Amino acid sequence: MEPNGKTTAIEQIAPITSDSKDLPLSYPSTNHATPEVIGLNDDTELDERGTQTTVEELEEGKGRWFAYIKTRNFYLVLLLGQALALCITGTNTFSNLLAGQPFSIPAFQTLWNYILLNIVYSSYTLYRYGFQGYINLIRHDGWKYIILAFLDVEGNYFTVLAYRYTTILSAQLINFWAIVMVVLISFAFLKVRYHATQIIGILICIGGVGILLGSDKITAGSGFGGVTGGNQLKGDLFALLGATFYGMSNVAEEFLVSKRPLYEVVGQLGFWGMLIDGTMTGIFDRPAYKTSVWNDGKVGGYLTGYTLCLFIFYSGAPIMFRLASAAFFNISLLTGNFWGVIIGVKVLHYHIHWMYPIAFVCIIAGLIVYYFGNTILGEARKPWLGKNQEQGVSGVGTARRRVEMGDELPVPV
C-alpha cells in the first residue's frame, strides 16, 4: 500500500475475497483488472488461503438428492424470490394508479430508478475505487455495462409498450419467452446443464400461471377481453421483443455479478441506464408529457412509491442471481400475479377467484421441485467460474464464499 492510500500494481492482482473486504481502493491507472482474471489461480492457492475442502468434496459429501432443500439457503432463496415478486407487484400497482390520474410516461417512470441506483451504488463504487480507479473501470469495462443497461432499459420499455396494443393475457403468455431465453442462453454460452427436476419444476410453475390466467379469463378480469390499442399483432411483437431483452439482461447480470462486486455492477447499470433511458424518454415520450397530469399531489406519491419498489427490486435481484440463477429468478416472479390480486383487493377492489390459491400453491410447489436434484450449494456454484469457483468473486451469496467461510448463510464478516 502506498502512503497515499492507493494500491500498487502488485496488490491489484491479488484475488478479491469479498464484496466489502480486501478490495483495492483504486484500480491502477495503467492496468484495470478485468472480471475474467480476478480470482484464485489454482487449487493450491485456494488451500493456502485457508479453505478446508474443495467445492467438489463439499458437494460429494452431502450427496445430490434433496441436499439443497435441507439447507437454510434454500428457504432464503425462496423468501427472496417472493420478496422480489412483491416488489414487481408494487411497481405494477403504482403504474395502474398513475395511469388513472392520468399519468403514463413509461421511460420517464423508470428513469428515476436508474438515477437512484446511480446515486447510491456509483457513489460507493467511487469511494471504494477512487476517482482514477472509477475512470479506469468505465474505460476498460464500461462497454460490458453499456450492453447490460441497454438490454435492461429496452426490456422495460417494450414490455410496457406492449400493453398499449395487445391483451394482458396475450402479453403475459408471451412473457414466458423470457424463461425460455434464459434457459437457452445459459445452456449455450454459460455451460449450464439443467437437471430433470429443474425442467419439471419450471413446467409446474408455468402450469400454475396457466391456472391464474384461466381464472382471469373465466371472470373476465384485468381487461383480458379486448385489445387496448387496436393492433394486437404489434403488441404481441413488442411483448416478444421485451421478453427477449429481459432474458438476455438477466443472464448478462448473473454472469457479471458472479465475477464483480455487487455495488460495481448495480452502480454501472444505474449509470448507463440513466443515460440510455433519459435519451429514450426525451425522444419517444415527448407526446405523453403534454397529456399527463403534473399538478396532482398523488402523482408525486405514486411515482415515489414506484421508484422505491423498483430500487429494492434492482438491489435484491443480483443477490438472487448469485444464490440461485436467472432461471429460478424468473420463475419466482410468476407468483407476482397472485400477490397483485391480494393487493388489488384492498387498493383496486378486486375479487379473488377460488382458483388463485390453487395456482399459488402450484407455483410454490414447482419452485421446491426445481431444487430436488441439486447439491448442497444449489445453483450458487457457477460452471463458468471453474471447479472451485476460482475465477469468481468471493462475496455475498457466492459458492466460493460458502466454501471459504463455511457459512451456510453467506454474509460478510
Side-chain angles (χ1 to χ4, degrees):
M1 180 75 70
E2 295 179 356
N4 61 3
K6 302 298 184 182
T7 57
T8 65
I10 295 177
E11 291 172 310
Q12 169 59 33
I13 62 175
I16 289 181
T17 56
S18 73
D19 284 342
S20 58
K21 184 179 179 181
D22 300 329
L23 186 69
L25 295 179
S26 174
Y27 287 111
S29 59
T30 59
N31 182 26
H32 171 70
T34 61
E36 288 75 17
V37 300
I38 289 180
L40 301 177
N41 295 324
D42 50 41
D43 297 343
T44 302
E45 189 174 355
L46 183 67
D47 293 333
E48 292 174 355
R49 293 179 62 81
T51 302
Q52 300 299 316
T53 184
T54 65
V55 171
E56 291 182 344
E57 290 172 344
L58 178 63
E59 292 190 326
E60 290 175 359
K62 298 295 184 178
R64 170 178 288 274
W65 288 97
F66 307 107
Y68 187 65
I69 293 180
K70 297 177 183 178
T71 67
R72 288 174 293 175
N73 277 11
F74 166 72
Y75 300 98
L76 174 65
V77 168
L78 202 63
L79 290 175
L80 179 58
Q82 295 313 297
L84 295 177
L86 280 170
C87 289
I88 286 296
T89 301
T91 62
N92 292 337
T93 302
F94 283 116
S95 292
N96 287 333
L97 293 172
L98 282 168
Q101 290 309 302
F103 187 94
S104 180
I105 314 177
F108 178 78
Q109 288 180 212
T110 312
L111 175 62
W112 294 102
N113 171 61
Y114 291 119
I115 292 175
L116 186 58
L117 289 173
N118 182 51
I119 291 174
V120 174
Y121 291 101
S122 290
S123 297
Y124 186 71
T125 304
L126 186 62
Y127 165 76
R128 295 292 298 173
Y129 293 173
F131 180 77
Q132 186 60 52
Y134 188 77
I135 295 299
N136 290 331
L137 167 66
I138 294 177
R139 286 175 53 199
H140 293 274
D141 287 339
W143 64 272
K144 302 174 185 178
Y145 294 115
I146 290 175
I147 295 174
L148 173 64
F150 176 79
L151 295 174
D152 189 76
V153 170
E154 298 307 314
N156 286 330
Y157 183 80
F158 283 110
T159 299
V160 173
L161 193 61
Y163 287 96
R164 294 184 180 180
Y165 299 98
T166 189
T167 62
I168 293 179
L169 174 61
S170 180
Q172 288 182 339
L173 287 174
I174 293 174
N175 281 340
F176 284 125
W177 178 247
I179 300 175
V180 177
M181 284 293 299
V182 165
V183 172
L184 292 178
I185 295 174
S186 298
F187 182 88
F189 296 100
L190 300 184
K191 302 179 182 179
V192 176
R193 297 298 178 260
Y194 293 94
H195 193 269
T197 57
Q198 292 176 298
I199 301 299
I200 294 173
I202 291 175
L203 294 177
I204 293 174
C205 289
I206 291 176
V209 176
I211 297 175
L212 282 175
L213 297 178
S215 65
D216 279 329
K217 182 67 174 180
I218 293 172
T219 58
S222 303
F224 282 110
V227 179
T228 56
N231 193 331
Q232 184 165 355
L233 178 59
K234 181 189 291 186
D236 290 345
L237 292 175
F238 282 149
L240 184 63
L241 193 57
T244 301
F245 278 120
Y246 270 140
M248 291 189 292
S249 68
N250 289 164
V251 176
E253 187 170 359
E254 181 185 0
F255 176 82
L256 288 170
V257 298
S258 70
K259 289 176 170 286
R260 300 301 308 175
L262 294 179
Y263 54 81
E264 176 188 307
V265 177
V266 180
Q268 286 293 288
L269 174 60
F271 176 74
W272 296 110
M274 174 184 67
L275 299 180
I276 296 172
D277 193 82
T279 302
M280 290 187 62
T281 190
I283 297 174
F284 299 109
D285 282 347
R286 284 186 296 177
Y289 283 106
K290 299 178 182 179
T291 58
S292 296
V293 174
W294 293 87
N295 57 359
D296 192 334
K298 293 181 179 179
V299 170
Y302 296 154
L303 193 58
T304 300
Y306 174 88
T307 302
L308 291 177
C309 286
L310 208 55
F311 175 81
I312 296 172
F313 177 81
Y314 273 73
S315 299
I319 300 176
M320 173 67 86
F321 292 142
R322 282 185 174 180
L323 283 168
S325 66
F328 189 82
F329 167 80
N330 276 275
I331 62 176
S332 294
L333 299 183
L334 295 179
T335 57
N337 290 337
F338 176 81
W339 296 121
V341 171
I342 297 299
I343 294 178
V345 168
K346 296 294 183 181
V347 179
L348 303 175
H349 308 293
Y350 289 167
H351 298 284
I352 297 180
H353 190 267
W354 62 270
M355 295 173 69
Y356 268 82
I358 298 176
F360 180 77
V361 172
C362 186
I363 295 174
I364 295 298
L367 296 176
I368 296 174
V369 171
Y370 182 89
Y371 278 120
F372 272 2
N374 280 76
T375 59
I376 189 172
L377 293 176
E379 292 183 296
R381 182 184 182 184
K382 311 298 184 183
W384 59 88
L385 298 180
K387 65 178 182 179
N388 282 316
Q389 307 294 279
E390 62 273 8
Q391 298 178 43
V393 65
S394 176
V396 177
T398 63
R400 180 175 160 186
R401 168 60 68 86
R402 170 74 172 89
V403 174
E404 290 179 349
M405 306 297 293
D407 185 10
E408 190 171 337
L409 291 174
V411 294
V413 294

